[in-house]
Amino acid sequence: MRIVLLGAPGSGKGTQAALLVEQLNLPHISTGALLRDAIKRGTQLGMQAKSIIDKGELVPDDIVSGMIEERLGKQDVANGFILDGYPRNVAQAASLDAMLERLGQPVEEAIQIDIDPEQIIKRIAKRAKEEGRSDDTEETVRNRMRVYEEQTAPVVGYYEERGLLTRVLGDGLKEEIFERILSVLNQHSQPA
Ligand code: ADP
């Protein structure tokens, strides 16, 4: 199955992606993780990306789309994938469609994890303590939320127009949210 997971920073997207990967045995493709890895390895791309990420801005589309294109070229995506953190604006959504069209493997499900902003602030504060991510400072988080509203929220409409979107309530225990996602996937995989 080819799944795109959508949701604000701190919506639990990454957590749910990891659970789905385990359950469905599909590769997890996260641009955030790929970028953090490039930073850790000290590559030129990583160095370019770090200052942008630390400000809470989006890394340029050609960089992330290039990373995704390379990743989608690998063998293990033949049975599907879980995309997390990409696409993050409408231009990236269009690039993704073009890439997947070339592969003959269009997106099948887009799942939006809905959560209220109050909860997000709390969750990110907690994660900042646990993981020490340099982009989890209060000021950066505020900017990431603004960037999300302006650039990423429209991606939800993009998939809605194409009849691919389902919204899932993102509050409660991670296991409960996971059950909601699985039940959506199950329903959609039933023959009509
Ligand atoms: P979160 O969803 O919690 O914000 P991510 O790990 O998905 O965390 O992303 C962290 C940062 O990496 C983003 O704020 C952005 O700077 C950069 N990034 C990740 N994915 C993309 C993308 N698709 N396009 C541009 N920038 C990205």
Side-chain angles (χ1 to χ4, degrees):
M1 206 166 334
R2 292 177 295 275
I3 303 169
V4 170
L5 269 186
L6 302 168
S11 61
K13 205 166 22 84
T15 303
Q16 295 303 324
L19 292 171
L20 277 172
V21 159
E22 211 176 297
Q23 173 91 17
L24 303 175
N25 199 19
L26 292 173
H28 180 189
I29 307 182
S30 156
T31 38
L34 290 170
L35 289 166
R36 281 188 289 278
D37 182 61
I39 293 171
K40 213 163 63 194
R41 288 186 288 119
T43 65
Q44 190 165 0
L45 187 154
M47 289 187 289
Q48 262 178 302
K50 179 161 172 38
S51 62
I52 302 173
I53 291 175
D54 285 347
K55 280 187 258 172
E57 303 290 333
L58 294 188
V59 172
D61 291 345
D62 54 344
I63 293 183
V64 284
S65 294
M67 284 180 5
I68 288 290
E69 183 151 35
E70 193 187 323
R71 185 66 188 83
L72 290 175
K74 303 224 164 108
Q75 266 303 320
D76 65 340
V77 299
N79 293 324
F81 49 76
I82 314 289
L83 259 183
D84 160 18
Y86 184 92
R88 231 180 178 87
N89 59 30
V90 169
Q92 292 180 13
S95 299
L96 178 65
D97 271 355
M99 289 181 229
L100 293 177
E101 197 172 318
R102 282 197 292 276
L103 296 170
Q105 298 186 322
V107 170
E108 293 168 290
E109 296 278 349
I111 296 183
Q112 157 78 359
I113 304 180
D114 271 329
I115 181 145
D116 72 57
E118 283 294 302
Q119 287 224 32
I120 290 179
I121 306 275
K122 278 192 208 141
R123 285 189 186 185
I124 294 187
K126 185 163 165 257
R127 183 172 76 187
K129 278 201 202 125
E130 290 167 0
E131 295 179 16
R133 258 173 60 172
S134 61
D135 62 343
D136 275 346
T137 63
E138 198 180 326
E139 197 188 334
T140 302
V141 168
R142 211 163 281 154
N143 199 34
R144 278 160 59 204
M145 307 266 281
R146 188 160 49 229
V147 168
Y148 174 80
E149 284 306 326
E150 289 171 7
Q151 302 190 52
T152 312
V155 174
V156 176
Y158 181 94
Y159 286 111
E160 202 158 34
E161 280 166 23
R162 286 158 180 76
L164 294 171
L165 187 84
T166 309
R167 294 172 198 272
V168 163
L169 201 60
D171 70 348
L173 297 173
K174 67 176 186 214
E175 293 81 6
E176 293 170 337
I177 302 159
F178 186 53
E179 283 306 318
R180 291 177 200 143
I181 295 176
L182 284 184
S183 92
V184 167
L185 297 178
N186 275 331
Q187 271 171 30
H188 292 185
S189 62
Q190 304 290 329

